[in-house]
Amino acid sequence: MEAASIPLSQSPLERRTLWVGFLLVGVAIGVTALSYVQNMRFPLQWLVWGVGAAFGAVALLALEWPRAYRDAADVPEGGLRWFLLASMPLAFVLGSQVCGVGLKACGVLCHGTNLVAIVLAGATAYRMHRGKSIGVTLVPLVIVALVPHCVCHAPVNTLWHSALGGVAPTCGLVPLAAVLFSVSALRGARPRASAGLSMMMLGMIVFMAVGNPLIGFPWRGCV
């Protein structure tokens, strides 16, 4: 028997964290998109603009998504519910593959951040499965995922490195967006659209993890 989802109105910490998380992710992905299109060079440059536009679209959607919490609809059940729960830790597991197969990372801090984010995302999914509020796990997950730590010399990081002294928060951005959209779906905030966007985020992560080592796109290498 599946635990019922709690109404958003009963969890103000969770609701505020989702609002702030979406807004921070939207701004950060917007900066990342700008850095990418300005600094990535590829024989088919229109593909670069296509990827940049995709990042930009995600940024705009994330900035707008807090409006979805004005009203709630029926939450997903059955297989879709289980997929959305599993997608939370899976997003960060897949995100770690962008640097190479396994739980690799650019450095000790990046590696540790990945592992902590996976654990927090898993705990968030478990609490949702149990029908509990997730503010207690979502707050540290948002913080950990957005801490600037990435030292990769990838084009998505160029602007960040210039502004933050050689580090960037880009590693956890798309996985965090996937988690936020999954939570939105499971809390009845535009459930179909939120579920679709969560799946799209996972697809973007897989595309980056596979494309980088095979064809040097959407960017070449990591470090």
Side-chain angles (χ1 to χ4, degrees), residues 200-216:
M200 187 182 301
M201 298 301 99
L202 293 179
M204 289 177 67
I205 297 169
V206 172
F207 170 64
M208 289 185 285
V210 173
N212 285 341
L214 291 184
I215 60 174

Side-chain angles (χ1 to χ4, degrees), residues 2 15 31 37 47 51 60 72 88 132 138 169 200-201 223:
E2 295 180 344
R15 186 171 185 142
V31 173
V37 297
L47 286 176
V51 171
L60 292 175
M88 296 182 198
K132 298 180 180 179
L138 194 60
M200 187 182 301
M201 298 301 99
V223 194

Side-chain angles (χ1 to χ4, degrees), residues 84-86 88-89 120-130 134 137:
L84 291 169
L85 290 170
M88 296 182 198
L120 288 171
T124 299
Y126 178 75
R127 288 184 65 85
M128 291 204 80
H129 169 62
R130 299 291 295 174
I134 59 170
T137 56

